[in-house]
Amino acid sequence: RPVGVEDGYGEVATRMVTLAATQPGFLGVDSARDAEGFGLTVSYWVDEASALAWRRNLEHAEARRQGRERFYEAYTLRVATVHRASSFERP
């Protein structure tokens, strides 16, 4: 639940995606937010070592600190492995 979205949240979030894209093992990101501010962001990494390296990135650590202090009342982090993915798109 974001609390300070108007206070620089978008800039920090955009910077984190840009920075993540430069990290070895980054595969992509999906993000969505509803009108009430509930959001979901999923980043994809080639392996757990790449995801852990991203967690250790100092600029990312600072963004997480700002998130706890400025942007969020609460959040949940889940780390998972995707074993299979599929999609459909109507022609």
Side-chain angles (χ1 to χ4, degrees):
R1 294 174 296 209
V3 294
V5 171
E6 69 286 343
D7 189 26
Y9 177 87
E11 292 84 359
V12 172
T14 298
R15 172 63 186 148
M16 288 304 98
V17 172
T18 301
L19 181 62
T22 69
Q23 302 301 297
F26 178 76
L27 296 173
V29 66
D30 291 322
S31 188
R33 185 164 307 282
D34 71 12
E36 287 77 44
F38 175 80
L40 177 68
T41 300
V42 179
S43 64
Y44 303 94
W45 300 87
V46 71
D47 56 22
E48 187 174 5
S50 299
L52 288 172
W54 169 238
R55 180 164 176 75
R56 290 189 299 266
N57 178 285
L58 294 179
E59 191 174 344
H60 180 220
E62 172 60 19
R64 291 194 318 273
R65 184 193 64 75
Q66 287 184 43
R68 290 186 299 274
E69 292 180 6
R70 297 174 50 201
F71 301 133
Y72 290 104
E73 292 177 355
Y75 64 83
T76 300
L77 173 70
R78 292 184 177 96
V79 178
T81 301
V82 176
H83 293 279
R84 182 179 323 116
S86 63
S87 61
F88 167 80
E89 185 173 333
R90 187 175 308 278

